[in-house]
Amino acid sequence: LPVRGKASRRMSSLARPVPTARIATPQSASSARDERRARSIRPSASASASDGKDKEDDTRTESSTSSVSRRRALLGAASLATLAPASVALADEAAMAPPNPRAYFQRYPTLFAPFYGDDERATMLKTVVPNRVWCLEQNLAVGPLETPLRCVVIRLRDDSLWVHAPLAPTEEFFELIERDVGGTVKHMVVPTYALEHKVFAKDACDRWPDADLWIAPGQFAFPVEISAERIYGRTPAGVLGDVSDDAGGERGAGREPPWADEIDVKILRSGSFRLGGRDVGLREATFFHRPTGVMVVTDCIARIPEEIPPLVDPEKLLLVGKRSTAEPTPAVGSPGDTPEARLAGWKKMTLLINYFFPEHEEPGGAPGVVEWTDGWEDNFAAISGRLFVPPVVRSLLYAQDPAGVRAWADSVAEDWFAPAETTVIGEDGTSTRVVSTPASLTIVPAHWDGPLENVRVEDFLSAYRWLDDPGSDPFPEADMARGLQPVIDAVFGTKTKADESQGSGLDLFFSSFPTLASRFKGGE
């Protein structure tokens, strides 16, 4: 993520979009737990235990107290008759309750919540171009940190749907596409190797069994290599990119998708790493929908919003926003739950996600306590509200092959921002070529803010100016040094001898990934 001064110096041409959005009423985690508790009720359990105790007491009493025991037994029976219908009614009500539309099961282990197993996520639908392009948002969570994660849906000329990077397979997510967008999903795309953009592809394939699956080149699994058929539950229809790419050995490489006349594809090549004892190439497929001028990407460009995204959990904002982890966390709706407290939480989340251990997050006076010192707001302002390449992507990935990234950026600027040519036929039959220069494009990234409207070519290229001069847009040295730089040193082979036994390349990155939740202890 390049850094270019304070928020006041951000690009004024990038106006915040106000897209149409739909989101259903959320079902809280506590209500889901209540449902599970209700289903676990067994109406006869406590009554049977009480009845058994009465019988045991009866055997221990003398005949002179038998009338008391009989009276107790009658009272117990009456209690059972009263309680059982109510307990059965509660259990029946829970059993008849509709399933949680935000619940899902994550079938592959990942670094983000829930890591593996059951969880729930809310989904929001935004209209990018009416009746043509939409995006859906959920939240990606690591411990108490959350950031938006985005999927894009495009309606093709034949009225079918093209789905980019499916999200967590909740019923809400699927229904927003099938019911609110409307149409038949014929094509799905896995745009990159990154887990968060492909881990749910198999669930989408199960939901839409007749749709074709298209994948970016350079796919790999870690720590054990697994076939595409097992990962996705089917053989992909094709691998995006030409056969000269390193995907040439993959089945379907170079096959042109039937939607290629509407959606252009460019492959961003950003180097390779040693992972699990082998070299893996890092690739991202980027897309341009010609009829609407919408560009769809995953990680290659972003804009951090200065305001809180709508789906971020307020409880987590209040937890992260505290000055010290030793302080009590304000309850939602309490006097301590202020807009300023929530916004502080969002800004600190952003710094933690981008730098792991940012400059102004310091050890406190007591063991396990972390405190924020003055200056963190300036560091947030330096990376928010403007187009840039995020620090992890830029420093850890793109530094592997800056020439490849430059070639991609120049190609996008030349082809997708190029003036459009049209031919007008006059009444006399003569034709006139008209060249129209698009004022801007709309870019829909998978992370942070989106959609990004009114992006000009100079705005786009400015995000990559560090490729020509690394010192032209540096990140704060102290932010980088504490958390991200040690990982970069390990990946690029500059680790110390003491680290040699831990592995190399991305092996070390994955093994040293910070458990962020542990930094917010203290009764939380």
Side-chain angles (χ1 to χ4, degrees):
L1 311 172
V3 175
R4 193 187 63 175
K6 300 189 182 286
S8 61
R9 297 165 61 186
R10 65 186 180 273
M11 297 172 186
S12 60
S13 62
L14 299 183
R16 266 188 84 79
V18 187
T20 303
R22 301 180 192 175
I23 181 169
T25 303
Q27 178 181 18
S28 67
S30 59
S31 64
R33 287 194 296 270
D34 292 342
E35 287 184 10
R36 289 194 289 270
R37 290 194 191 102
R39 291 192 183 102
S40 68
I41 293 174
R42 295 294 181 267
S44 62
S46 60
S48 298
S50 175
D51 189 50
K53 185 176 186 302
D54 289 341
K55 290 180 180 179
E56 182 180 358
D57 290 342
D58 288 344
T59 62
R60 294 175 179 173
T61 57
E62 299 178 359
S63 58
S64 60
T65 61
S66 60
S67 61
V68 177
S69 298
R70 284 195 298 273
R71 193 159 49 247
R72 184 180 298 159
L74 289 172
L75 288 172
S79 299
L80 177 63
T82 302
L83 292 174
S87 299
V88 171
L90 285 172
D92 288 345
E93 182 180 350
M96 294 171 60
N100 182 357
R102 296 180 176 178
Y104 70 98
F105 183 83
Q106 186 164 296
R107 65 176 80 205
Y108 299 123
T110 65
L111 295 173
F112 48 85
F115 305 106
Y116 176 80
D118 292 308
D119 201 6
E120 60 181 74
R121 293 187 190 181
T123 307
M124 171 184 290
L125 175 69
K126 294 180 179 179
T127 298
V128 181
V129 178
N131 203 39
R132 298 304 301 271
V133 184
W134 300 259
C135 64
L136 296 96
E137 291 183 13
Q138 294 177 354
N139 269 354
L140 188 69
V142 179
L145 310 182
E146 292 188 345
T147 182
L149 184 65
R150 198 168 287 110
C151 158
V152 175
V153 178
I154 295 176
R155 189 183 304 281
L156 301 175
R157 290 195 189 103
D158 65 358
D159 208 38
S160 67
L161 301 180
W162 179 95
V163 178
H164 175 273
L167 299 178
T170 67
E171 189 62 24
E172 182 178 55
F173 167 73
F174 288 128
E175 286 191 359
L176 283 171
I177 294 177
E178 298 166 354
R179 180 196 62 209
D180 290 41
V181 172
T184 301
V185 176
K186 284 191 177 180
H187 302 280
M188 296 174 291
V189 171
V190 172
T192 182
Y193 58 88
L195 273 175
E196 69 268 28
H197 304 301
K198 71 176 184 180
V199 70
F200 302 120
K202 186 177 190 301
D203 301 279
C205 288
D206 292 344
R207 180 77 173 207
W208 301 308
D210 296 328
D212 283 338
L213 176 67
W214 304 87
I215 65 175
Q219 298 294 323
F220 62 88
F222 178 83
V224 178
E225 190 60 51
I226 302 174
S227 68
E229 288 75 10
R230 184 170 179 183
I231 293 174
Y232 307 118
R234 68 173 69 173
T235 301
V239 178
L240 300 169
D242 57 54
V243 293
S244 64
D245 187 70
D246 60 359
E250 298 181 61
R251 186 182 305 176
R255 178 187 170 194
E256 184 172 85
W259 39 265
D261 62 332
E262 294 183 63
I263 304 174
D264 195 15
V265 182
K266 291 185 184 294
I267 305 298
L268 193 164
R269 299 165 176 81
S270 55
S272 63
F273 286 96
R274 291 290 294 176
L275 180 62
R278 67 189 189 280
D279 288 323
V280 294
L282 305 180
R283 305 290 181 262
E284 177 183 338
T286 60
F287 305 89
F288 180 64
H289 186 230
R290 295 188 189 93
T292 59
V294 173
M295 181 176 170
V296 182
V297 301
T298 48
D299 302 316
C300 62
I301 201 165
R303 185 178 71 190
I304 293 175
E306 296 169 302
E307 301 299 326
I308 303 169
L311 296 182
V312 179
D313 186 348
E315 291 184 2
K316 293 183 179 180
L317 291 170
L318 295 173
L319 170 63
V320 179
K322 298 183 300 182
R323 185 175 184 87
S324 169
T325 55
E327 297 174 357
T329 302
V332 174
S334 71
D337 178 11
T338 64
E340 293 79 12
R342 292 192 182 193
L343 185 58
W346 168 244
K347 292 178 177 180
K348 291 174 181 178
M349 276 189 184
T350 297
L351 293 172
L352 287 162
I353 292 169
N354 280 283
Y355 298 117
F356 301 168
F357 294 88
E359 175 185 5
H360 294 284
E361 190 201 33
E362 304 287 351
V369 174
V370 176
E371 297 179 347
W372 289 85
T373 60
D374 292 340
W376 60 267
E377 289 191 88
D378 292 336
N379 290 27
F380 171 81
I383 60 173
S384 62
R386 65 186 184 90
L387 284 180
F388 75 140
V389 181
V392 173
V393 177
R394 171 178 155 180
S395 302
L396 187 62
L397 306 180
Y398 290 2
Q400 284 280 322
D401 186 7
V405 179
R406 167 54 68 196
W408 171 83
D410 290 344
S411 177
V412 167
E414 181 178 353
D415 297 339
W416 294 351
F417 285 90
E421 294 187 2
T422 58
T423 301
V424 178
I425 307 298
E427 293 182 0
D428 58 355
T430 59
S431 61
T432 303
R433 190 183 71 167
V434 178
V435 178
S436 57
T437 303
S440 61
L441 301 181
T442 295
I443 300 179
V444 189
H447 295 284
W448 302 106
D449 206 358
L452 310 179
E453 298 179 333
N454 304 317
V455 179
R456 300 174 302 179
V457 66
E458 55 266 33
D459 303 328
F460 173 79
L461 290 175
S462 180
Y464 300 95
R465 64 187 183 276
W466 56 273
L467 289 166
D468 304 314
D469 178 9
S472 65
D473 194 12
F475 298 118
E477 184 177 352
D479 272 330
M480 294 289 292
R482 300 262 306 273
L484 188 54
Q485 193 61 49
V487 175
I488 295 169
D489 293 340
V491 170
F492 291 147
T494 57
K495 60 184 183 299
T496 65
K497 289 290 184 180
D499 298 323
E500 292 291 341
S501 61
Q502 298 185 45
S504 62
L506 286 184
D507 299 312
L508 194 59
F509 171 68
F510 285 117
S511 67
S512 62
F513 193 88
T515 307
L516 294 167
S518 67
R519 316 245 295 280
F520 296 88
K521 293 181 178 178
E524 306 303 342

